[in-house]
Amino acid sequence: MNAPFDQLSTWLKEHRITEVECVISDLTGIARGKIAPTAKFLHERGMRLPESVLLQTVTGDYVDDDIYYSLLDAADIDMVCRPDPTAVYQIPWAIEPTAIVIHDTFDKQGNPIELSPRNVLKKVLKLYADKGWQPIVAPEMEFYLTQRCEDPDLPLQVPMGRSGRAESGRQSFSIDAANEFDPLFEDVYDWCEIQGLDLDTLIHEDGPAQMEINFRHGDALDLADQITVFKRTMREAALKHNVAATFMAKPITDEPGSAMHLHQSVVDIATGKPIFANEDGSMSALFLHHIGGLQKYIPKLLPMFAPNVNSFRRFLPDTSAPVNVEWGEENRTAGLRVPTSSPEAMRVENRLPGADANPYLAIAASLLCGYIGMVEGIEPSAPVQGRAYERRNLRLPITIEDALQHMEDCEKVREYLGQNFVQGYVAVKRAEHENFKRVISSWEREFLMLSV
């Protein structure tokens, strides 16, 4: 890696970077790592972190000891974190010239750490490469802008825009409503350009101050890195303008949830041609099998698309979110939508992932489902016509507990993603859910305290 690292060293010096944020993604998607002076970073060429950070929950707790010590060394050893010279991003909001460098994780023998989300995605991409295929993805990120809120017991409130008034009613695709936050999004686009993030369009979504930013189609690993950096960039820009940005799947009662829709297609590496369309423009057998794999295995991998108890609040009929894995052409009520396109752009849009999903894991899971469908020749159901919300034969697990059990019991998931990853991921999510169940909600106090 000397030549790529030398290029990274040159880039850091050319941009006069004085500090480097050395980061990895944990299972939730939180950036964990160290901040180092540039000279120290260049000298050490990486960092070491306790492997246990990959079994940390969103609350900072850890899984039960029996699972913890079955997956990790009892001495709580360090893993080796090596910088990826292609995953470097300047931090425009920092006072001192600072860069984020995303790292990969290895054990002392040089083997990729199985619990690492980035390694999980790389493992899935290798499956495709071994078949001579390259997946192409285009993510769409939805999120809400809200007033800043110090008390988590209080409902989130709609922020005021330039007019001095908060939104009321539905403003889907409204240009004026999006322009209410022009100063904020000017910063977002300027900062993302500096970072090299490949943003496309900005859309006002259904909810009050709910927005969507689309990314141009491209390499899956690169876009997972970009989404990780974008989420932080969006939050920083919001704070600068005295509002908050949230990627919770369902942050506001009775308002639409926020998704991370994934458009995915596959090209032949040797020819560069897409494999999802026949020469006459019709859907290829591989494309239909890809959809079949998504239908069969999304319910088994749902915790990687809907990782939190809040994620499942989004899956309600007639709320712009799917409730099953039906598929259809130009049908946004189905979990899997095939947009109208040219043969070269033939693709499927997976509408199941929430905005709260770890991008590495959501993209890995979505591509893995399609891959299994292609190699096993899984036939899809007939495409649904009309409202897919009414279809019940391909419904999803309805709670995080049920979904985790489906994932844990699926031998095919363990075969492809590894026993350690499945056991660790399920354990982290169960620990988070146990923590959630200890909290008494305002609904319980309001309706049960004096009534039962």
Side-chain angles (χ1 to χ4, degrees), residues 62-82:
Y62 292 91
V63 301
D64 291 340
D65 284 353
D66 57 338
I67 295 176
Y68 185 97
Y69 290 114
S70 71
L71 295 176
L72 303 182
D73 191 290
D76 197 13
I77 62 173
D78 282 346
M79 54 188 174
V80 178
C81 304
R82 297 176 188 160

Side-chain angles (χ1 to χ4, degrees), residues 28 58 249 303 306-313 356-357 400 425 429 432:
T28 299
V58 73
N308 307 300
V309 65
N310 177 262
S311 310
F312 286 77
R313 300 187 187 277
D356 58 336
I400 184 69
Y425 187 77
K429 293 303 162 185
E432 289 174 352

